[in-house]
Amino acid sequence: MEKVVTAEHNRCSEIRALCRDFGIENELCDKYIDEKRDVASVKDEILKSQREKMTGTRAPVVQVDKNHEMRRQQCVDGILMRSGKVVKDAVDGSKRYQTMRIRDVFQEILEDEGMTVRELRGMQDDDLLKRAMTSSGLQSIVSNVANKALSIGYAETQTTYKRFTTVGSVTDFKTVPRFRISAAGQPNLIPESGEFTYDQLMDESYNTKADTHGISWSFTRQAMINDDLGALTKLPSAYAAAFERKKNQMCYAALALASNYSSQRGNLISTGTALSVESLGAAQELMRNQKDMSGRATLNIPGRYLIVPSALEVKARQILASVADPAAAHAGVINPFQSAFEPVVDSTLNQYSTKSWYLVCEKNAVDGIEVSYLNGVETPFIEMGTNFNTLGFQMRMYHDFGITIGDYRGMVKNVGA
């Protein structure tokens, strides 16, 4: 799934870079992306359009030099490898750029675009950066480096929220209603020639909403002079990881929210019992005894994920791996929960309690914690531009998502002891 998301993200970025390089209107660019066009077909259509514009003149037809394009790809992979990133399937020849100063990279690409060696050698650093800021080739390289670094950072982040949460999609920033699965009423017996009765789903629903989260930074004149590539490689990767950690933090904040649990809801063990086979059995019983909205039908939901803070990791793994009950007087007492639950350990829970633990059901048994993304895009966007007031490339990263709890019936909390 992550490979598909990364490929889609790269496709959109490359198409936007092409459209920007050739002055294509945003509406047409969005049309290419929405129609799922591949980069090659978009490139061919842009070239065809450029030829038609030149009809009746002797101006040369705009062409994409394959050697120059290859050099740009080599630059991207080489710059990433120089920063310590592992680049799978790196383009042949990219190692040459792994040891090249960023100033020399700028000069080489500008030479590809028509500047002479004499012009480039006579340029001061400020003039070189100003010229680079107007170069479509260098903008494309910087954009691709940042996007690849983003993808690497996103994939390498150690988070656990995806283990027990579901993914949702919204089409705008409005509040969107969702119907709880457990709110579905019981089917009625329909006699011969009888009529169907409508189920009142509106009695139990919840809302979800996506918000925009973002951050910006710059690749500055000082960074170029100091040959510091961090703004292009390390920062996009670090910020992508920060977005993942923020989602992780928000999901655990939702899980630990006290208002989700109560004795009236039948999903709280507040007497303070340590994690054990016996207390797991009590949590499992509470979850299985949950009833639907009408209060007539028992949902019989089994637990699937045992979620604990890092302070309880050893105890949780001991219980789930043991054939016998660790608390029993002898080994003949079996452990009915051996491998019954999937352990999820996250230090984020320590800030709420080092003793409390949670039993959560299978993702789609009821509506649990949902991470809703705008238009289903699960990775952040990164954009680049220039600003007259600052000497350098301006970069920003943003992501549209929201965290929602759908139903308390699939979660049980034990406050621990």
Side-chain angles (χ1 to χ4, degrees):
M1 179 63 182
E2 291 182 354
K3 291 183 178 180
V4 174
V5 172
T6 299
E8 175 63 12
H9 194 282
N10 291 339
R11 181 186 73 88
C12 295
S13 298
E14 291 181 32
I15 290 176
R16 291 194 186 282
L18 275 171
C19 292
R20 182 173 57 249
D21 292 348
F22 289 94
I24 304 300
E25 295 179 354
N26 290 335
E27 291 183 0
L28 183 55
C29 183
D30 292 339
K31 182 172 180 290
Y32 291 148
I33 292 173
D34 293 340
E35 290 178 350
K36 303 297 182 182
R37 298 278 294 275
D38 58 48
V39 176
S41 68
V42 171
K43 188 181 296 183
D44 290 340
E45 185 162 326
I46 291 175
L47 290 176
K48 181 181 178 181
S49 174
Q50 294 294 319
R51 291 191 185 99
E52 290 174 354
K53 289 180 181 180
M54 293 179 182
T55 302
T57 72
R58 293 189 178 275
V61 175
V62 176
Q63 294 182 350
V64 177
D65 190 308
K66 292 184 178 180
N67 291 331
H68 294 177
E69 184 65 27
M70 176 61 71
R71 186 155 26 246
R72 294 177 187 180
Q73 294 176 20
Q74 291 169 342
C75 282
V76 171
D77 289 348
I79 289 172
L80 286 168
M81 289 189 292
R82 174 183 161 179
S83 67
K85 302 296 182 186
V86 177
V87 181
K88 296 180 180 180
D89 303 319
V91 178
D92 290 341
S94 56
K95 287 188 176 182
R96 172 172 174 265
Y97 294 91
Q98 191 173 355
T99 57
M100 188 180 290
R101 288 179 57 84
I102 191 64
R103 191 185 198 284
D104 297 331
V105 173
F106 281 12
Q107 287 181 325
E108 187 167 304
I109 300 303
L110 289 173
E111 186 180 346
D112 282 347
E113 295 184 354
M115 294 193 69
T116 66
V117 175
R118 178 176 295 181
E119 289 174 322
L120 290 167
R121 285 178 178 172
M123 273 189 170
Q124 298 297 319
D125 288 334
D126 287 358
D127 294 330
L128 180 63
L129 183 57
K130 288 177 182 178
R131 181 65 181 85
M133 289 166 61
T134 65
S135 163
S136 60
L138 283 171
Q139 288 184 13
S140 177
I141 289 172
V142 171
S143 178
N144 285 333
V145 166
N147 271 288
K148 280 196 173 183
L150 181 158
S151 298
I152 293 171
Y154 185 85
E156 291 178 347
T157 308
Q158 299 297 313
T159 54
T160 58
Y161 73 94
K162 293 181 180 178
R163 302 265 298 277
F164 61 93
T165 61
T166 58
V167 174
S169 180
V170 295
T171 58
D172 52 38
F173 293 105
K174 298 176 183 176
T175 299
V176 180
R178 297 267 201 264
F179 296 114
R180 289 192 175 101
I181 294 176
S182 60
Q186 294 296 303
N188 297 312
L189 176 65
I190 300 177
E192 184 177 356
S193 301
E195 295 183 354
F196 285 84
T197 57
Y198 287 95
D199 191 18
Q200 300 298 319
L201 286 175
M202 289 300 293
D203 287 345
E204 278 211 20
S205 63
Y206 62 97
N207 296 323
T208 188
K209 183 179 182 297
D211 296 300
T212 301
H213 309 258
I215 196 166
S216 62
W217 69 100
S218 301
F219 177 70
T220 63
R221 165 180 174 268
Q222 287 83 358
M224 188 198 75
I225 294 174
N226 295 336
D227 200 37
D228 183 2
L229 295 174
L232 303 183
T233 56
K234 293 182 180 179
L235 286 181
S237 185
Y239 287 139
F243 274 98
E244 274 298 274
R245 288 193 295 270
K246 182 170 186 179
K247 285 184 280 185
N248 197 68
Q249 173 72 47
M250 291 172 67
C251 285
Y252 280 104
L255 177 69
L257 189 64
S259 60
N260 295 326
Y261 309 95
S262 68
S263 56
Q264 290 75 22
R265 289 182 167 185
N267 66 346
L268 176 65
I269 301 175
S270 59
T271 53
T273 53
L275 183 60
S276 65
V277 169
E278 184 178 359
S279 60
L280 275 174
Q284 177 83 302
E285 183 179 6
L286 280 181
M287 188 176 293
R288 285 192 181 278
N289 288 339
Q290 287 287 350
K291 296 184 180 298
D292 68 359
M293 180 186 65
S294 69
R296 295 191 300 270
T298 301
L299 297 176
N300 193 34
I301 311 166
R304 179 69 179 87
Y305 304 97
L306 175 59
I307 305 177
V308 301
S310 59
L312 294 178
E313 177 175 7
V314 173
K315 187 67 174 177
R317 294 190 185 280
Q318 282 179 339
I319 293 174
L320 297 182
S322 177
V323 175
D325 182 351
H330 56 84
V333 180
I334 66 166
N335 173 14
F337 296 120
Q338 181 194 11
S339 303
F341 309 121
E342 181 179 329
V344 179
V345 182
D346 201 294
S347 297
T348 306
L349 282 174
N350 290 344
Q351 63 186 284
Y352 303 106
S353 171
T354 57
K355 297 178 180 179
S356 297
W357 51 271
Y358 306 82
L359 190 64
V360 176
C361 71
E362 188 66 67
K363 291 183 180 182
N364 293 310
V366 297
D367 297 300
I369 298 176
E370 176 183 311
V371 185
S372 302
Y373 296 99
L374 183 65
N375 296 321
V377 179
E378 298 182 32
T379 55
F381 290 98
I382 189 168
E383 294 179 343
M384 185 196 70
T386 57
N387 187 328
F388 182 78
N389 296 319
T390 58
L391 190 57
F393 294 106
Q394 305 300 302
M395 311 187 81
R396 65 185 182 188
M397 187 182 298
Y398 62 94
H399 200 188
D400 306 307
F401 65 88
I403 311 297
T404 308
I405 290 187
D407 200 335
Y408 64 86
R409 294 172 175 87
M411 304 182 297
V412 172
K413 177 181 179 178
N414 186 311
V415 298

